[in-house]
Amino acid sequence: DAEMAEDPDHPDHIHRRRLGRKGKMTNGAGAQINYDNVQVNQKDLEDMANRCEGANTVSIKRRWRENDIVDEDVKTLCTPGTEVVRKKKKKKSNKNKKKTKVVDEQVAFRKHRMNGDDASIVFDCNGGNCHGSGEGLQQEVGHPCQLSRDRDTSSECMQGVVCYRAGSPNGGDGVGSCAFLSEYAREDQICNMDYGVDACVSGFACLAATMLTNSRMVVRGMRKGICIPVTNFSREGGVCDVAHGDDACVNGYQCLSANGREIGNAGIGYCMSKPRFS
């Protein structure tokens, strides 16, 4: 856990996409990325895999620490019927380099929730340590989560749920709880940016606090924001709605995405100088 907390953006900890889920989410966003959430010793993992293959129920305990406060949660690794898939590799013995032994390189615990959703957990091993991620480790509503890991297309919480703590609507450090934010939030309410144009009621846009202080800043890693009003004839750098057409921005400016591209017929953008084509 300390290793992952020290560098949460390292590709070794963010690369795994939602297991068993292809295509796009229902809100049109890309597949959500799962952090490595659990680190175990390789020998301990092999022992757990052996117990799971024996039709046992095995659980793992997780901890979230903030100063002197520790939150704990328990996840079920397997139950009778869980499929254990092991990918093995040969490894040279530490005592006798000429001898080799076969160890687990990857162990997948394939299972599903009662509603049919995937709940698998996959461990990848390297150097005697194994890092686990997957649907089965994502936190449900009301369970603890790490605020700093609630980023664009990635979270410790389940799909459609954000890591939230009162007083820290835009994230930060520390421990929060997974909470469900509904679509069409009203003015000044907390909103889920994953919902796009449906995050707030008509006439409002879901923007992070950093966007509010510098609306032309390209902000990555934000999933929560505040619903603010979007008016006609916004000035340079102001928030605009392309649905307002020519009235979205003052004369000489166009409602574009944060990277300066045209948005289309619907969406929230920023008033920028009209692009010049040579």
Coordinates of all heavy atoms in Angstrom, one line a residue, residues 8 52 54 63 86 98 104 110 121 149 162 206 225 230 236 238:
P8 N 0.9 6.9 -7.1 CA -0.4 6.3 -7.5 C -0.6 6.3 -9.0 O -1.4 5.5 -9.6 CB -1.5 7.1 -6.8 CG -0.8 8.4 -6.5 CD 0.6 8.1 -6.3
C52 N -9.0 -21.6 -2.4 CA -10.1 -21.3 -3.2 C -10.4 -22.5 -4.2 O -11.6 -22.8 -4.4 CB -9.9 -20.1 -4.0 SG -9.9 -18.6 -3.1
G54 N -10.1 -25.4 -3.4 CA -10.7 -26.5 -2.6 C -12.1 -26.1 -2.1 O -12.6 -26.7 -1.1
R63 N -7.2 -1.9 4.4 CA -7.1 -0.8 5.4 C -6.9 0.5 4.7 O -6.1 0.6 3.7 CB -6.0 -1.0 6.4 CG -6.3 -2.2 7.4 CD -5.1 -2.2 8.4 NE -5.4 -3.3 9.4 CZ -4.9 -4.5 9.3 NH1 -4.3 -4.9 8.2 NH2 -5.2 -5.4 10.2
R86 N -4.9 -19.8 -13.3 CA -3.5 -19.5 -12.9 C -2.6 -19.5 -14.1 O -2.6 -20.5 -14.9 CB -3.0 -20.5 -11.9 CG -3.9 -20.6 -10.6 CD -3.6 -21.7 -9.8 NE -2.5 -21.5 -8.8 CZ -2.5 -22.1 -7.6 NH1 -3.4 -22.9 -7.2 NH2 -1.5 -21.8 -6.8
K98 N 20.9 -23.3 -11.1 CA 20.7 -24.2 -12.3 C 19.3 -24.9 -12.2 O 18.9 -25.4 -13.2 CB 21.8 -25.3 -12.2 CG 23.2 -24.7 -12.5 CD 24.2 -25.9 -12.5 CE 25.6 -25.3 -12.8 NZ 26.7 -26.4 -12.8
D104 N 3.4 -18.9 -9.8 CA 2.3 -18.2 -10.4 C 2.7 -16.8 -10.8 O 3.3 -16.1 -10.1 CB 1.1 -18.1 -9.4 CG 0.4 -19.4 -9.1 OD1 0.3 -20.2 -10.1 OD2 0.0 -19.6 -8.0
R110 N -12.2 -15.6 -10.9 CA -13.4 -15.3 -11.8 C -14.7 -15.5 -11.1 O -15.0 -16.7 -10.7 CB -13.3 -16.0 -13.1 CG -12.0 -15.9 -13.9 CD -11.9 -14.5 -14.4 NE -10.7 -14.3 -15.3 CZ -10.3 -13.2 -15.8 NH1 -10.9 -12.1 -15.5 NH2 -9.2 -13.2 -16.5
I121 N -11.3 -10.7 -9.5 CA -10.1 -10.1 -8.9 C -8.9 -10.8 -9.5 O -8.8 -12.0 -9.6 CB -10.0 -10.3 -7.4 CG1 -11.3 -9.6 -6.7 CG2 -8.7 -9.7 -6.8 CD1 -11.4 -9.8 -5.2
R149 N -7.5 9.0 -5.3 CA -7.6 8.0 -6.4 C -8.8 8.2 -7.3 O -9.0 7.4 -8.2 CB -7.5 6.6 -5.9 CG -6.1 6.3 -5.4 CD -6.0 4.8 -5.0 NE -4.6 4.4 -4.8 CZ -4.2 3.1 -4.7 NH1 -5.1 2.2 -4.7 NH2 -2.9 2.9 -4.5
V162 N -18.8 7.8 -6.8 CA -17.6 8.6 -6.6 C -17.1 8.6 -5.2 O -17.9 8.3 -4.3 CB -17.9 10.1 -7.0 CG1 -18.2 10.2 -8.5 CG2 -18.9 10.8 -6.2
C206 N -21.3 21.3 -14.9 CA -20.6 20.7 -13.8 C -19.1 21.0 -14.0 O -18.4 20.4 -14.9 CB -20.8 19.2 -13.8 SG -20.1 18.4 -12.4
G225 N -17.6 18.0 -9.3 CA -17.6 19.5 -9.5 C -18.8 20.1 -8.8 O -19.5 19.5 -8.0
V230 N -24.8 28.7 -16.8 CA -24.2 29.0 -18.1 C -25.1 30.0 -18.8 O -26.3 29.6 -19.1 CB -24.0 27.7 -19.0 CG1 -23.4 28.1 -20.3 CG2 -23.2 26.7 -18.2
E236 N -14.4 36.0 -23.2 CA -13.3 35.2 -23.4 C -13.0 34.3 -22.2 O -12.8 34.9 -21.1 CB -12.1 36.0 -23.9 CG -10.8 35.1 -24.1 CD -9.6 35.9 -24.5 OE1 -9.7 37.2 -24.4 OE2 -8.6 35.3 -24.9
G238 N -14.9 32.3 -20.7 CA -16.0 32.0 -19.9 C -16.7 30.7 -20.3 O -16.5 30.2 -21.4

